[in-house]
Amino acid sequence: MTTLPQSTQKKLGLVIDLDTCVGCHACVVSCKGWNTENYGAPLSDQDAYGAEPSGTFLNRVHSYEVQPEVGPAQLIHFPKSCLHCDDAPCVTVCPTGASYKRQEDGIVLVNEDACIGCGLCAWACPYGAREMDQAAGVMKKCTLCVDRIYNENLPEEDRVPSCVRTCPSGARHFGDLADETSDVSLLVASRDGMDLMPELGTKPVNKYLPPRPKDVVPEFDILAPYLEPVAKTQKGFLGWLDKALEKI
Amino acid sequence: MHPAGSVIIFTVASGLGFGLLTWLGLGLPDTVGWAAFWHYAVGFSLAGGGLLASTFHLGNPQRFLKAFSQWRSSWLSREGCLSVAAMAVLGLFAIGLIFFRVSWQPLGYIGALLAVLTIIATSMIYAQLKTVPRWNHWTTPILFLLLSLGGGALLAFQTLAGLLLLALAGGVQLLAWYLGDGRFQQSGTDIGTATGLGVRGKVRAFEPPHTGNNYLLKEMVHQVGRKHAVKLRFISFIMMILMPIGLLIISQAVPIVILALVLNVIGTFVQRWLFFAEAEHVVGLYYGKR
């Protein structure tokens, strides 16, 4: 059924730290690698070595410039993937029941064998989290690496989503956001984690940690008075030149 | 949004087809035998042909049967179920008229109701999307319904009803354009809420995640042709509404009604192209686009 579960036992999801993300795109590459070689249809590319390459990705990193009222602009790298919304509009629009949200852990998945590739779920998603694979004709989306996180054949430290395992700056965290005592929940609480487009009522599970305020360098400097320019106005030849040029 | 040919043909043709079938189900015009056969043939070809066209944009159309399963939650599934139900009921009604020259009128009324519900379900596929503020409004289903029933009335030679419905559709269309132009702004969604960074200052998309094109940009950030939108609005409004109404006021002779219908259909195609091309999806905000 494509109706949403009333509630889920867990809310597995990601917490993404916009303060520490360096925009290296390692998560993008590792996601593409893992999800091409494992569960479901591979993430295909079209015209990969040609003039207009394009392809399917489940995770993409944008970069934004934020110009505050005062002070210098800030550059913020912004990874974006499925937010596994509690009130996921992509699930309820699906005509075939291919899209569903799991009652046990809240992961939003696509049953590719039932997907007719109509694309309506991608239209319903405000975040651009779903992409139609042009080779397989089915909808692809982040599975939260469902084939890693419960995989007992992997060493325990690898039982997290591929993007989280790969991130070199520790900007991505994985855990149960329904459990208020989990590491990710504590992180969200301490850093004022936020929702994307909360006004659309999707109730995303994934949270974003806003960048910390920049350090302000104190103006006070003990040597500053001694380093003031001595000659306020030019004298001699340069002074004459300055005046002469100004008169022209 | 990308104005895909298959979806434009689907909404225009099946809208017109179910509009005609609604009138036929109501017993207007009251025909039997061969006359009824040709009326229903046109209705079923348009409705069925439109539905068939809609399968052309599917990635895996061979699994279409599964699309009838989720009517409890999905408008797209409801549309599929209702369209089949409408055609089945009206098919039985038509068999009575064509082969037995009897009118099982209750069946016709049920079929007409199902045809109307099908048109509404089609429009709700678009109107339900909060991600496209222009569509997410009550004018969308009303406009689809009025245009379908108006065009259907011309096809069924119900000229007075057609005249009134097209006039109403014209009014709702103007309102939809007027309100639609401000809907994105009024939705309160902007690059600031999309990134959550709006409280910190003015947000600008600095660098996209990829240098090439992708599915999201092709499908939902379609900007080609919007520059001619105003001209196309004039063209569609004149052909879809004003000229058919003018012609029907002058004369209601058969060739004039056919001419009015042809103009209306061409105008509706232009209107439907604009319906998609002008619709802006909020995902464009992540790319600094609308």
Side-chain angles (χ1 to χ4, degrees), chain A residues 184-199:
Chain A
V184 281
S185 294
L186 295 174
L187 194 59
V188 169
S190 68
R191 292 276 307 281
D192 292 328
M194 59 186 184
D195 288 346
L196 306 185
M197 293 193 202
E199 69 278 8

Side-chain angles (χ1 to χ4, degrees), chain B:
Chain B
M1 307 296 286
H2 173 62
S6 60
V7 180
I8 294 175
I9 294 171
F10 153 57
T11 57
V12 175
S14 75
L16 197 61
F18 283 109
L20 170 61
L21 289 176
T22 306
W23 293 105
L24 296 180
L26 295 174
L28 302 166
D30 189 8
T31 52
V32 288
W34 276 107
F37 171 80
W38 287 114
H39 272 122
Y40 277 94
V42 171
F44 280 114
S45 331
L46 282 170
L51 291 170
L52 195 67
S54 75
T55 63
F56 293 157
H57 86 286
L58 300 180
N60 282 287
Q62 75 281 8
R63 299 175 187 150
F64 79 98
L65 276 178
K66 290 187 196 298
F68 295 106
S69 66
Q70 303 301 310
W71 49 271
R72 290 184 203 82
S73 51
S74 164
W75 278 108
L76 181 51
S77 184
R78 284 172 201 162
E79 196 253 352
C81 296
L82 286 165
S83 63
V84 171
M87 288 202 280
V89 172
L90 287 170
L92 272 177
F93 183 56
I95 287 170
L97 292 175
I98 296 166
F99 297 104
F100 305 106
R101 295 180 168 267
V102 289
S103 167
W104 300 319
Q105 196 52 58
L107 218 52
Y109 289 142
I110 295 169
L113 178 68
L114 288 168
V116 166
L117 291 176
T118 306
I119 299 166
I120 292 173
T122 304
S123 65
M124 284 308 291
I125 295 171
Y126 308 106
Q128 69 176 328
L129 297 173
K130 283 186 189 170
T131 50
V132 185
R134 184 186 285 278
W135 292 349
N136 188 223
H137 195 255
W138 58 264
T139 48
T140 304
I142 300 285
L143 186 58
F144 268 69
L145 192 60
L146 289 173
L147 284 174
S148 298
L149 293 180
L154 296 188
L155 257 179
F157 288 95
Q158 304 299 310
T159 45
L160 184 63
L163 197 73
L164 290 172
L165 285 164
L166 285 186
L168 273 174
V172 176
Q173 175 66 87
L174 292 179
L175 186 69
W177 277 332
Y178 173 73
L179 296 175
D181 287 346
R183 291 275 301 156
F184 202 108
Q185 209 90 50
Q186 287 156 17
S187 74
T189 299
D190 57 24
I191 193 170
T193 66
T195 58
L197 300 169
V199 287
R200 314 170 67 83
K202 194 170 162 21
V203 184
R204 184 171 74 93
F206 183 78
E207 198 175 34
H210 43 99
T211 51
N213 213 340
N214 77 344
Y215 171 73
L216 299 174
L217 291 173
K218 276 185 257 183
E219 186 75 8
M220 282 166 273
V221 198
H222 179 90
Q223 291 175 313
V224 185
R226 279 194 201 148
K227 62 176 176 173
H228 295 307
V230 175
K231 282 180 207 164
L232 288 171
R233 279 186 183 183
F234 274 106
I235 292 170
S236 76
F237 195 76
I238 289 168
M239 293 186 77
M240 182 175 77
I241 306 289
L242 295 183
M243 287 173 79
I245 287 180
L247 284 170
L248 291 177
I249 288 174
I250 294 166
S251 160
Q252 302 194 352
V254 172
I256 298 292
V257 177
I258 291 173
L259 181 63
L261 175 72
V262 170
L263 287 168
N264 170 262
V265 172
I266 297 171
T268 310
F269 269 106
V270 179
Q271 185 263 2
R272 206 53 49 86
W273 188 89
L274 276 173
F275 177 76
F276 290 99
E278 285 196 295
E280 300 158 317
H281 194 287
V282 294
V283 77
L285 293 169
Y286 286 105
Y287 290 88
K289 293 175 179 173
R290 282 270 295 265

Side-chain angles (χ1 to χ4, degrees), chain A:
Chain A
M1 274 311 288
T2 50
T3 42
L4 290 161
Q6 290 286 320
S7 64
T8 56
Q9 289 159 25
K10 285 183 177 180
K11 290 183 186 184
L12 295 186
L14 301 175
V15 173
I16 293 166
D17 191 344
L18 298 178
D19 194 58
T20 47
C21 175
V22 294
C24 68
H25 292 243
C27 54
V28 178
V29 178
S30 99
C31 167
K32 177 103 172 176
W34 180 267
N35 287 293
T36 292
E37 293 154 8
N38 294 283
Y39 165 87
L43 304 173
S44 70
D45 290 319
Q46 281 68 43
D47 197 20
Y49 303 100
E52 289 181 12
S54 69
T56 314
F57 286 79
L58 310 183
N59 177 32
R60 296 185 185 263
V61 180
H62 296 251
S63 296
Y64 297 102
E65 177 201 77
V66 179
Q67 176 64 62
E69 296 247 327
V70 286
Q74 200 177 352
L75 186 65
I76 294 161
H77 302 293
F78 192 95
K80 185 165 60 62
S81 55
C82 174
L83 307 171
H84 298 279
C85 303
D86 270 345
D87 206 343
C90 56
V91 170
T92 50
V93 298
C94 178
T96 67
S99 273
Y100 61 104
K101 185 173 174 71
R102 304 214 304 185
Q103 203 265 326
E104 62 267 35
D105 54 15
I107 300 179
V108 176
L109 287 176
V110 175
N111 172 7
E112 291 174 8
D113 294 334
C115 175
I116 54 171
C118 69
L120 189 58
C121 55
W123 288 15
C125 171
Y127 308 107
R130 288 172 169 245
E131 298 189 14
M132 178 101 75
D133 189 84
Q134 299 300 306
V138 295
M139 196 55 72
K140 299 296 296 185
K141 67 174 297 300
C142 163
T143 66
L144 218 55
C145 285
V146 71
D147 51 349
R148 283 177 71 102
I149 57 177
Y150 298 116
N151 191 339
E152 289 178 5
N153 295 319
L154 295 176
E156 199 167 346
E157 64 268 29
D158 282 340
R159 290 180 211 160
V160 292
S162 180
C163 56
V164 174
R165 187 76 180 98
T166 300
C167 181
S169 66
R172 305 180 71 98
H173 307 272
F174 166 70
D176 179 10
L177 287 135
D179 174 6
E180 285 175 19
T181 60
S182 68
D183 287 348
V184 281
S185 294
L186 295 174
L187 194 59
V188 169
S190 68
R191 292 276 307 281
D192 292 328
M194 59 186 184
D195 288 346
L196 306 185
M197 293 193 202
E199 69 278 8
L200 289 179
T202 53
K203 297 187 206 127
V205 168
N206 284 14
K207 302 286 180 227
Y208 283 76
L209 306 179
R212 294 183 178 92
K214 287 278 185 202
D215 291 343
V216 181
V217 182
E219 291 282 325
F220 177 73
D221 187 340
I222 197 164
L223 287 174
Y226 303 102
L227 294 172
E228 287 280 305
V230 180
K232 302 263 187 201
T233 52
Q234 298 287 352
K235 283 176 186 165
F237 172 70
L238 284 178
W240 169 82
L241 190 63
D242 185 37
K243 279 179 194 159
L245 285 171
E246 220 146 80
K247 278 180 185 164
I248 297 171

